[in-house]
Amino acid sequence: MWQDNEVRFDISYNLIQLRLGEFAADKLDLIEDTKGNAGDSGRLIVTNLRVIWHSLHLPRINLIRLFFIGIGYNTIIAVNSKTVHNLQGKHTQALYILASFRNCRYEFIFTNLGSKSTRHYTSVIGIYRAYTSSKIYREIKLRSGIINENQLTLLPQETVHSTLQDIWNLSLEQGNIGTFIVTNIRLVWFADMNYQFNISIPYFTIASITIKNSKFGPTLVIVSTESTGAYILGFRVTPLEKLHILYKEVSTLFKTFEKCPIFGVDYTFEHEAPLQREVNIEQYSEKEDNQIENLNIFGYYFSEGINQRKPNISDYLGIAAEKPNETSTLQNIWELIPQS
């Protein structure tokens, strides 16, 4: 799953379609990508995994994949509102996002051109906080406070399917006996002698579930994905018939979860704002455009940190302008503006 873990500028129309378990929590038109496409109205789609922006006004931009932007929540370092100057010289509150991906930092500024509504940043900030507070749905947790008085503290939308006693965790050489709990979201084991010795394994993190022979006999083996550490976890279940029943149950729930995943991101709007007028997008087939393709679009979004560039007289424009990043030129930036 890449949607929440990457920053992408080269998103085709097919890749902005929502994946299984992903839903659009909010959608706003008349949103400007102030840093990369100032003056161009676009659409901001806020899902439970990422923020998507794409252009609405310019057909030539709709044809070029570089102008579809996707920002996964797991790449975000900071998100807040920021006061900016719009093209009319007025102050307005914009959505500011600082993200990090593949050792590069990117910053994005999105401004609402249609009204004084704050939804363009309150929605993103609220859903991002819901995402960060629900990591237990998507990450392996060791020795966490998930057990209270010998009972599993259930997550929202979580239901217990079975609870098995006297299950050996073979992570250590000697093994530890405890309780194994199967839910619709994760697998949980905790030691009977110490509830703090526990592990929570969401189905999201599981790469394979098998039965293998070990020095302890037939063992239920769960391997996590490489991105979560490629852990190998073994659980001894006796008798053998009980082991095969557990294996079948866990495998069935795992396959069911893959078809209808639960990300755990739940956000309720405190104040229901009126929906903005929706702009229809005409369907275009993608074309090649060498002029735009040769541009390094990433350069417009690189974060400059505290280093601010000073304006200098430009021979090309005949006015004072900030010197662009090394990845672009004033001529390339100027040519992005449509000719009327």
Side-chain angles (χ1 to χ4, degrees):
M1 187 179 72
W2 59 267
Q3 284 82 357
D4 64 334
N5 290 309
E6 297 184 13
V7 174
R8 288 199 178 187
F9 297 91
D10 57 344
I11 301 178
S12 66
Y13 181 78
N14 291 333
L15 290 182
I16 68 170
Q17 304 306 304
L18 305 184
R19 58 149 290 151
L20 291 175
E22 185 179 15
F23 62 87
D26 204 359
K27 181 170 62 175
L28 299 96
D29 290 325
L30 304 177
I31 302 298
E32 175 191 77
D33 171 22
T34 303
K35 186 162 186 180
N37 294 284
D40 177 28
S41 177
R43 171 173 291 167
L44 190 72
I45 303 172
V46 187
T47 83
N48 55 331
L49 298 178
R50 53 182 168 161
V51 175
I52 302 170
W53 181 91
H54 64 83
S55 174
L56 288 175
H57 279 179
L58 302 179
R60 71 179 182 87
I61 289 182
N62 278 331
L63 301 181
I64 305 303
R65 295 186 301 170
L66 290 176
F67 285 86
F68 287 90
I69 302 171
I71 311 166
Y73 293 139
N74 210 30
T75 68
I76 292 179
I77 300 173
V79 54
N80 48 50
S81 61
K82 185 176 184 179
T83 302
V84 298
H85 288 85
N86 57 24
L87 293 179
Q88 290 74 35
K90 298 179 180 179
H91 291 83
T92 184
Q93 287 295 110
L95 168 66
Y96 173 80
I97 297 176
L98 178 64
S100 176
F101 179 57
R102 292 180 179 173
N103 298 321
C104 293
R105 287 196 174 192
Y106 303 98
E107 59 181 11
F108 305 88
I109 300 173
F110 298 106
T111 307
N112 194 331
L113 301 177
S115 68
K116 296 181 180 179
S117 171
T118 61
R119 266 176 59 196
H120 60 298
Y121 58 84
T122 55
S123 293
V124 174
I125 294 173
I127 295 172
Y128 171 69
R129 288 174 178 171
Y131 174 87
T132 57
S133 64
S134 59
K135 289 186 176 181
I136 194 170
Y137 286 82
R138 304 176 301 275
E139 297 180 1
I140 294 177
K141 297 293 184 180
L142 300 171
R143 300 179 182 272
S144 57
I146 59 175
I147 306 299
N148 184 22
E149 297 181 357
N150 202 28
Q151 296 293 323
L152 174 65
T153 302
L154 295 179
L155 303 172
Q157 305 181 65
E158 185 176 27
T159 56
V160 174
H161 281 259
S162 62
T163 301
L164 292 83
Q165 307 292 335
D166 302 327
I167 305 299
W168 288 86
N169 183 336
L170 307 179
S171 300
L172 301 177
E173 286 296 324
Q174 72 274 15
N176 285 275
I177 193 168
T179 301
F180 193 89
I181 303 174
V182 180
T183 82
N184 61 323
I185 292 174
R186 56 181 171 165
L187 306 176
V188 175
W189 179 91
F190 64 91
D192 291 341
M193 299 299 294
N194 180 8
Y195 298 156
Q196 293 302 313
F197 183 33
N198 57 60
I199 183 169
S200 171
I201 315 165
Y203 293 127
F204 263 124
T205 66
I206 296 178
S208 65
I209 302 171
T210 57
I211 294 178
K212 293 185 178 180
N213 287 321
S214 68
K215 66 179 182 180
F216 298 98
T219 303
L220 178 69
V221 177
I222 299 171
V223 180
S224 73
T225 59
E226 290 187 8
S227 61
T228 59
Y231 291 106
I232 301 176
L233 306 167
F235 300 93
R236 182 171 179 264
V237 184
T238 55
L240 186 60
E241 180 183 357
K242 186 178 178 181
L243 171 62
H244 284 282
I245 293 174
L246 176 61
Y247 168 74
K248 185 176 181 180
E249 179 185 20
V250 172
S251 299
T252 300
L253 288 171
F254 177 51
K255 292 177 181 178
T256 301
F257 186 87
E258 285 184 320
K259 295 177 181 178
C260 188
I262 300 173
F263 291 94
V265 182
D266 187 19
Y267 176 74
T268 302
F269 292 96
E270 295 182 2
H271 303 288
E272 194 66 31
L275 294 176
Q276 298 186 6
R277 181 179 62 87
E278 188 166 312
V279 180
N280 294 325
I281 306 178
E282 297 182 34
Q283 297 298 320
Y284 298 95
S285 59
E286 293 184 3
K287 297 180 181 178
E288 296 292 333
D289 189 325
N290 293 332
Q291 177 185 357
I292 303 296
E293 191 175 52
N294 291 334
L295 274 173
N296 188 348
I297 193 68
F298 300 95
Y300 302 130
Y301 299 94
F302 279 145
S303 172
E304 300 173 19
I306 60 175
N307 298 321
Q308 300 297 326
R309 294 168 294 167
K310 295 182 179 180
N312 294 306
I313 296 295
S314 167
D315 294 334
Y316 176 73
L317 296 178
I319 59 174
E322 291 183 359
K323 184 179 179 181
N325 293 320
E326 296 178 358
T327 56
S328 58
T329 65
L330 282 173
Q331 182 175 357
N332 284 340
I333 296 174
W334 186 257
E335 288 173 354
L336 286 176
I337 301 176
Q339 302 298 320
S340 56

